[in-house]
Amino acid sequence: MNNLLGFTADETGEVTVEISVTVNGETRTGDVEPRTLLVYWLRDDLRLTGTNVGCDTSSCGACTVHVNGESVKSCTMLAVQADGEDILTIEGLAPSDDELHPMQEAFRQNHGLQCGYCTPGMVMAAVSLLEENPSPTEREVRLGLEGNLCRCTGYHNIVKSVLACAAGETAA
Amino acid sequence: MIPAAFDYVRAGSASEAIALLGEHGDEAKLLAGGHSLLPMMKLRLAVPSVVVDIGRVTDLSYINDGGDHIAIGALTRHRALETSDLLAAECPLLGHVAGEVGDPQVRHRGTIGGSLAHSDPASDLPAAVLALGGTLVAQGPGGSREIAAGDFFTGYFESALADDEMLTEIRVPKAPGDGWNYQKFNRRAQDWAIVGAAAVTVNGGTNVALVNMGSVPLRASATEAALAGGASAAEAAEQAAEGTDAPTDLNATPDYRNHLARVLTRRALEAAGVS
């Protein structure tokens, strides 16, 4: 066994890797199997269950989080790849318990959700989109969210929400 | 879906990665952005026993002016290509095609080297680099060698890279101006191309490469020869499917793909200003 990273075997003989990740501003550490996907580490180990698993095949975007400020599908990244990186999940987006992020507020005001399953991923993808393109056209919003599926087909109000947020129509 | 268990090793440099490949042979796979490899590992279509993570070899992430060409580090992400001012000015086809890969989340992680080494005939970037007549630099235990894009893709998901070689740099000729176009045909957002066609005028000639028309990305050589012989774009495009071997799947029969190749090639040529 190559020991470059200080692998340790637990009582079952599984080899784990120690990782240290900034998650929503806090340093979180863990021992993970190399094959552990980031989304399962976030959900099962850290109990940050706001990030959903939808398709589990990099298609639907329900598991979107930010890695160093950019949207990423956390079902297509190993937890060990996140070692040392800065992760933001939907739980860390709002400035406080009493206040929503402007994008969350825009989704609330514009009814940008139906069943809500895709919403955390949609919001995280939309925030990343506006950071790259603060004043997108409607078409740019639709293209920018092409990695996120809403099976309620509620796209119309989702796009409306993102445009409202970009226009500053929701309180910060 | 969880990949099969594997040993994980992080390489700090290209030479460290190559040494690890030498140690583990074809049991090992390089992990760059992971957006081709991890989905295959989750489906257990790929079951490497050792994964060598090269994602932190940041000195292989660059887009540089090499004089007559642009040199791109293998670990440069699609998003960096898509937003590169240098590519926009000197090789706009490549930056544009990078922006057509997958979706924004995929482009934030996926790398050009990973995409090329994966050698998926349905991927966008291999055809773009093929159309440009690019050169791929592979590093192995004995040093580096250059591989022409036309020799790199050897079979379905197979490349000319040896088990202990790593793709380190991609060089594309400068092809500024508006003589380029990429047509990607799919039914759903973020899907792979059912067929794609890249056309670019480079060094005075017009090159056309096709996506998903065989087991490897292909040059539409009959079309290119017709253009060189003075045929119009419309006439030359009629020969786009010659010499190809289009696959059958849920989306399309070979006949339909042949039709798409002809139509998309004509559109790409016309949009590239070839009349």
Side-chain angles (χ1 to χ4, degrees):
Chain A
M1 185 65 243
N2 197 307
N3 213 31
L4 277 181
L5 277 177
F7 288 132
T8 52
D10 66 13
E11 63 278 8
T12 64
E14 281 181 345
V15 174
T16 58
V17 179
E18 191 178 334
I19 59 170
S20 174
V21 186
T22 304
V23 181
N24 300 334
E26 289 176 30
T27 302
R28 306 294 298 261
T29 57
D31 289 309
V32 296
E33 265 195 279
R35 62 175 167 168
T36 305
L37 300 169
L38 176 60
V39 68
Y40 291 114
W41 185 64
L42 293 171
R43 287 179 56 85
D44 298 345
D45 289 16
L46 303 189
R47 304 304 296 163
L48 292 170
T49 53
T51 303
N52 286 332
V53 179
C55 67
D56 209 358
T57 59
S58 339
S59 303
C60 80
C63 65
T64 299
V65 301
H66 292 185
V67 179
N68 303 328
E70 292 182 320
S71 60
V72 168
K73 293 177 175 178
S74 60
C75 80
T76 311
M77 184 166 167
L78 301 171
V80 287
Q81 288 178 287
D83 187 21
E85 310 291 359
D86 190 358
I87 307 287
L88 183 70
T89 71
I90 190 73
E91 288 91 345
L93 194 61
S96 73
D97 286 348
D98 307 323
E99 198 181 351
L100 293 175
H101 182 277
M103 187 65 75
Q104 292 172 311
E105 184 60 33
F107 271 64
R108 192 184 72 78
Q109 289 181 10
N110 292 281
H111 196 65
L113 64 149
Q114 290 181 31
C115 83
Y117 199 84
C118 72
T119 311
M122 281 287 182
V123 168
M124 297 308 285
V127 170
S128 178
L129 169 66
L130 290 197
E131 287 192 4
E132 291 171 357
N133 182 1
S135 304
T137 62
E138 181 186 329
R139 178 163 172 75
E140 285 168 344
V141 172
R142 290 183 183 276
L143 285 173
L145 295 179
E146 72 172 312
N148 293 73
L149 303 181
C150 167
R151 290 299 75 178
C152 305
T153 70
Y155 296 105
H156 186 76
N157 283 356
I158 291 169
V159 172
K160 199 171 145 192
S161 304
V162 179
L163 289 169
C165 184
E169 289 169 7
T170 51
Chain B
M1 291 184 292
I2 309 294
F6 54 84
D7 290 338
Y8 174 82
V9 194
R10 196 174 287 159
S13 64
S15 27
E16 205 173 294
I18 290 155
L20 287 162
L21 289 177
E23 188 181 329
H24 297 289
D26 65 1
E27 295 292 301
K29 285 291 271 185
L30 295 178
L31 176 70
H35 274 57
S36 297
L37 181 60
L38 289 177
M40 292 190 80
M41 288 173 63
K42 288 166 70 178
L43 293 167
R44 307 216 177 184
L45 295 171
V47 191
S49 54
V50 180
V51 168
V52 179
D53 186 355
I54 53 172
R56 286 152 209 267
V57 185
T58 46
D59 58 349
L60 286 183
S61 175
Y62 56 82
I63 304 170
N64 292 337
D65 191 330
D68 62 345
H69 67 275
I70 304 294
I72 301 163
L75 288 167
T76 308
R77 298 194 196 279
H78 304 326
R79 174 72 188 164
L81 301 173
E82 183 185 354
T83 56
S84 161
D85 291 337
L86 181 59
L87 279 184
E90 299 292 356
C91 191
L93 172 71
L94 193 63
H96 172 79
V97 172
E100 295 290 303
V101 176
D103 56 47
Q105 290 97 317
V106 170
R107 297 195 290 273
H108 287 149
R109 292 294 297 172
T111 66
I112 184 171
S115 176
L116 295 174
H118 192 58
S119 298
D120 181 347
S123 282
D124 305 291
L125 285 168
V129 172
L130 185 65
L132 287 161
T135 301
L136 289 80
V137 182
Q139 194 178 324
S144 286
R145 67 181 176 120
E146 296 181 5
I147 307 168
D151 298 327
F152 184 78
F153 307 103
T154 55
Y156 193 60
F157 291 96
E158 286 179 8
S159 76
L161 291 171
D163 285 341
D164 58 356
E165 277 184 322
M166 172 176 161
L167 181 57
T168 53
E169 187 174 277
I170 295 90
R171 295 174 189 158
V172 288
K174 288 186 177 176
D178 54 4
W180 61 275
N181 189 259
Y182 181 56
Q183 296 284 322
K184 179 176 184 175
F185 185 86
N186 56 17
R187 288 206 173 99
R188 303 179 306 183
Q190 77 175 233
D191 264 353
W192 278 266
I194 295 173
V195 174
V200 62
T201 301
V202 59
N203 298 328
T206 300
N207 297 347
V208 178
L210 300 170
V211 178
N212 218 358
M213 285 297 291
S215 59
V216 293
L218 293 168
R219 289 278 283 270
S221 36
T223 293
E224 292 177 352
L227 287 171
S232 70
E235 289 163 354
E238 282 304 307
Q239 299 174 51
E242 280 184 28
T244 64
D245 183 19
T248 300
D249 59 24
L250 281 175
N251 284 312
T253 60
D255 278 351
Y256 180 43
R257 279 200 163 86
N258 290 344
H259 169 73
L260 285 174
R262 291 188 286 268
V263 171
L264 298 175
T265 296
R266 177 175 52 74
R267 288 181 188 168
L269 287 170
E270 288 174 354
V274 179
S275 52

